Structures are given as structure tokens and as C-alpha cells.
Amino acid sequence: MDYINAAILGVVEGITEFLPISSTGHLIIAEQWLGHRSDMFNIVIQAGAILAVTIIYWRRLLDLVLGWREPENRDYAAKLIVAFLITAILGLVVKKLGFELPETATPIAWALIIGGIWMIFAEWAAARKAPHKEITWLVAILVGIAQIVAGVFPGTSRSGATIFVAMLAGTGNRAAATEFAFLVGIPTMYAASGYELLKTFKDGGAAGEDWTALGIAFIVSTIVAFIAVKWLLAYIRSNRFTLFAIYRIILGVLLLGMATTGLIA
């Protein structure tokens, strides 16, 4: 059963990490039924999702590295670096302040609902902007900040926060905003996972881990995330994010109801 539960959590992470519906929120809720997992486990399944997106964008990443002589590539790469550095610096500040993720569903439910309403407004506002693909410096700075906001408030969704900040700050093109949000998420999430992994090994948290379960969860997360992101990139070419916003609001209301009746903590 533990292997099945590991696979289920891998599926949850793979689906939710890059869709704008909050992976952390879904995992915290899923663990209430499937049992709490170690920090190592959560790091491993997140790494699987990051690997999937790295594979999807490998050509774009290679172009940025090998084509750095081109002004357009240098400018884009510089904005990715600035967004990442802002997130890294603010992330360290948040860590020093001793921030801890909530273990109950109520704050996550409210974040899902508020985030869903925000997404509907953002789509409406972005539709009134020119759909250009340029990533401005303002977009880069705000995306870096948005990643931390999403980390501090589980249920917000890192991908959702960054995509819609980019759209509202000047990148009216849905695909361009999504690409920048995903690309800046790659180094950000690798760095966060690496930091947590080193910390876990240093604290002895890796002892006693079921490495078979970890391997299953990692593989499942990678495969499912690859499929989910491929689907999302095709979906947003001709559709808005409204479907995800409605899902978030419905799920948030259901979770508030379940928390009120004691079905979940």
C-alpha cells in the first residue's frame, strides 16, 4: 500500500506542480488521507516535476546558453537571472524568519478561492492589453517576487502567480507569460530542492527512507508532469485559464465545508 500511496502522491505532484492550481496545497491535503511524508519524499517528487519541464524546454534552454551572443537571448537570459536572484534572496529572508507551511486545510482553501477570483480578474484585465510577447524588466522583477508570495501562501500556486503577474505587468500574450514563468521556475525549483536536500542529509533526515517508494514517486511525478505540461501548453494556445480558476474556487469551497464538518483538519 505504501508504494501505491507513493505513486498516487507522485501523480498529484505531477499534475499540480505546473498547472495553476497549487501543488503544495494539494499535497498537504492528500497527505491527510495517505499519511504524512518526509521532507525528503516531497523534495524527490518535486525534482521529478522539474526534470519533466527541463526536458520539455531543453531546446529553448540550449538556445539561451549557446546563443548568448545574440542581444535578444542575452536580454531574455538576464531577465531570467534577475527574477531568480530576487526569489533566491527573498527566499533566504523568509527562511531566516522561520516561516513554516500550514498543516491544516482552511488557509489553503482560502488561498485557492482568492487565487481563483484573482485569475478571473487577471484574464479579464490582460484581455484588454496588447498581446505582445516582450518580457519587460518590470515583469522579471514582479515574477521573482510572485514566486516567494506563492511559497509563503500555499494554495496560491507558483505557476499561477507568476503567469498572471507577467500577463498583468505587460506581457499580454498567454503563451509568452507561461514560458517565462516556467523557465524561471526551473533554476528556482532546482535551487530550492537542492537546498532542502542538503539540509535533510545534514540533519540525518535521509536515514530510514524507503528508497523504492521514493524511486516510484519520482518516476511517476516525472512522467505525469511531462504529460500535464505538454497538455497545458497546447490548451492555452486557444483557451483562457478560466477553467482552472473555477476549479480552484469549487475546491476551496468544498475544503472549507469539509473542514467545518471535521472531515479534514
Side-chain angles (χ1 to χ4, degrees), residues 8-55:
I8 292 171
L9 290 171
V11 170
V12 173
E13 168 67 18
I15 292 174
T16 61
E17 182 60 59
F18 288 96
L19 298 188
I21 55 177
S22 176
S23 62
T24 304
H26 279 77
L27 286 172
I28 290 174
I29 294 163
E31 286 181 352
Q32 295 203 28
W33 284 291
L34 301 178
H36 179 71
R37 298 289 159 161
S38 66
D39 290 339
M40 173 72 80
F41 182 91
N42 291 329
I43 292 166
V44 166
I45 60 174
Q46 185 182 62
I50 307 167
L51 177 60
V53 175
T54 306
I55 293 169

Side-chain angles (χ1 to χ4, degrees), residues 87-99:
T87 301
I89 293 168
L90 292 179
L92 290 174
V93 172
V94 168
K95 282 288 181 184
K96 290 294 183 182
L97 292 175
F99 170 78

